[in-house]
Amino acid sequence: MHATTKLKNSPAVFIQKVFQDGLYHILPRSVSRYICADVMSKHSICFSNVPGPQQPLAVAGKEVVAVEVVYPNVLPQVCLFSYNGRISGNFVVDSLVPKPQIIADLFAEEVLRLAMVVGVDPAEFILP
């Protein structure tokens, strides 16, 4: 069983939900902030992959070519979104991170390597 499946099926998710929906609101603000800071300090990046529609959609009569997902976070984040047989992605990092483009370039390099390993032609997923 994959680690993420184990986590999703463990009591940790339920316990987190109870804390999030109930206890944080009744705890003193200083305690809530401490818990939040403590939890977030144990993470180095937020990775999100969102499966989107796999057929073309239109907005105002124009076909949507790609979708980008970005949301505010206190951690660096990678967001991937699949749409119409393609995947688009964004990296968000703090302005204090020196040369953030290096992270994106190395990630893209690894995705290309992975594509070659599994026999996928990169031309199939890179937009012109």
Side-chain angles (χ1 to χ4, degrees), residues 5-92:
T5 303
K6 276 185 174 179
L7 178 62
K8 289 176 186 176
N9 292 320
S10 78
V13 175
F14 173 74
I15 292 167
Q16 171 60 32
K17 181 90 169 118
V18 168
F19 271 100
Q20 183 177 315
D21 292 347
L23 294 180
Y24 283 138
H25 302 292
I26 62 172
L27 291 172
R29 183 171 285 203
S30 61
V31 174
S32 295
R33 286 183 176 174
Y34 173 80
I35 292 170
C36 184
D38 184 58
V39 168
M40 295 308 286
S41 71
K42 293 173 176 42
H43 298 80
S44 58
I45 194 164
C46 177
F47 186 93
S48 179
N49 60 321
V50 180
Q54 294 308 301
Q55 66 282 346
L57 299 176
V59 174
K62 302 277 184 174
E63 185 177 327
V64 175
V65 177
V67 178
E68 294 190 29
V69 178
V70 178
Y71 58 90
N73 200 336
V74 296
L75 295 171
Q77 66 185 18
V78 178
C79 295
L80 300 178
F81 187 88
S82 65
Y83 165 70
N84 196 21
R86 296 186 181 268
I87 298 174
S88 58
N90 284 306
F91 286 85
V92 177

